[in-house]
Amino acid sequence: MGLVPTMGALHAGHLSLVRAARAACDRVIVTIFVNPTQFNSAQDLASYPRTEAADAALLAPLGVDVIFAPSPDQVYPTGFASQISVSGVADPLEGALRPGHFAGVATVVAKLFGMTQADRAYFGEKDWQQLQVVRRMVADLNIKIEVIGCATLREADGLAMSSRNARLPAAARAAAPALFGAMKSVVAAVTTGGQADTAIKIAIAALHQAGFDRVEYLALHDGETMQPSTDLKRPLRLLVAAWIGEVRLIDNMAVTPAP
Ligand code: PAF
């Protein structure tokens, strides 16, 4: 049984996870649940796109066996009082900026694993830190499931596919691919012997120039431990979070030295 956990508002990135599950598993279950405990603001939760009928139509041709879209009461019945807290990998970046976010993610993901009894679960690499948090939790708690990370799907202009892209007004949508350009410039500099700090400063200035309002982080971290690092001998990752208008975009890229 392959599980693709989602919060709905499905796009081609989600569908690629479903296809990967379909190719490798006898049964495929897609969950659609906008998990309230992983949102940091009531406004963000309220404005998260909910498109269940369209989601079901997108999944129909892919041979999904079950779409499980529980209500908040089904997931968190009266008296619910448990929480999974992952430290280390969950502490920096999203964990530092969004207190409680990863506890909400880890808890709901563990519940979805338990509810579906899946053998494999498919997650997008776009939420790189989330993927490491889930891997850590599965290893630490001896959860019998194989976690599979799938490559980020990008639009033709490089913007990573995300449910939040639908909220970008036209001008912001036109500026948003600058995020991909900024990441590429830092990766190119770092892998050819350039100074990481300088490359990052230049890339942040380029993002502001392109129309981004605030860059929360553009930083190099160890891709497994998630601690800050510039060690090219480790699986290094560049991660970014930035606001353009009312929309917060995140993305990441492997930093692989040229052979
Ligand atoms: O990545 C997401 O869509 C969510 O964080 C997840 C994994 C479905 C948990 O709510």
Side-chain angles (χ1 to χ4, degrees):
M1 165 97 77
L3 164 67
V4 182
T6 81
M7 297 207 297
L10 302 184
H11 51 68
H14 294 111
L15 303 186
S16 75
L17 303 183
V18 175
R19 286 196 188 92
R22 183 68 287 165
C25 305
D26 297 327
R27 295 274 180 273
V28 176
I29 177 163
V30 175
T31 59
I32 298 178
F33 179 60
V34 182
N35 175 35
T37 64
Q38 70 185 77
F39 284 81
N40 295 90
S41 91
Q43 195 212 334
D44 194 24
L45 172 62
S47 63
Y48 200 84
R50 286 160 173 85
T51 56
E52 253 178 48
D55 292 344
L58 284 172
L59 293 172
L62 301 187
V64 169
D65 296 284
V66 177
I67 299 173
F68 178 47
S71 67
D73 290 351
Q74 280 175 289
V75 177
Y76 300 112
T78 307
F80 185 84
S82 303
Q83 202 183 51
I84 294 179
S85 157
V86 179
S87 54
V89 286
D91 289 338
L93 304 169
E94 294 299 294
L97 285 157
R98 303 182 62 189
H101 169 69
F102 282 130
V105 170
T107 304
V108 83
V109 167
K111 283 178 66 70
L112 294 171
F113 288 173
M115 285 189 272
T116 61
Q117 294 291 300
D119 306 292
R120 288 185 183 157
Y122 292 77
F123 293 85
E125 288 187 351
K126 175 168 170 294
D127 293 298
W128 183 264
Q129 192 178 6
Q130 167 174 283
L131 178 58
Q132 307 318 310
V133 169
V134 172
R135 286 195 195 284
R136 186 75 261 163
M137 172 184 77
V138 164
D140 288 354
L141 301 183
N142 306 90
I143 300 176
K144 211 173 146 298
I145 198 161
E146 186 185 349
V147 175
I148 294 159
C150 298
T152 302
L153 248 64
R154 297 185 181 280
E155 304 288 355
D157 58 14
L159 179 65
M161 290 189 186
S162 163
S163 305
R164 289 171 195 266
N165 294 352
R167 283 163 46 187
L168 290 170
R173 173 63 190 82
L179 210 53
F180 186 55
M183 286 194 301
K184 279 202 300 189
S185 68
V186 174
V187 170
V190 171
T191 53
T192 53
Q195 266 287 325
D197 287 355
T198 312
I200 286 172
K201 267 194 204 119
I202 294 169
I204 291 176
L207 284 173
H208 288 135
Q209 180 73 31
F212 276 82
D213 298 290
R214 191 151 52 95
V215 179
E216 286 188 332
Y217 58 79
L218 175 63
L220 290 163
H221 284 243
D222 185 298
E224 284 170 14
T225 67
M226 295 312 300
Q227 300 313 302
S229 171
T230 50
D231 184 356
L232 284 164
K233 289 192 237 56
R234 292 279 310 157
L236 201 56
R237 208 88 196 166
L238 177 71
L239 302 104
V240 65
W243 287 87
I244 185 156
E246 302 290 302
V247 183
R248 183 176 188 268
L249 298 176
I250 64 168
D251 202 347
N252 68 85
M253 201 177 263
V255 183
T256 318

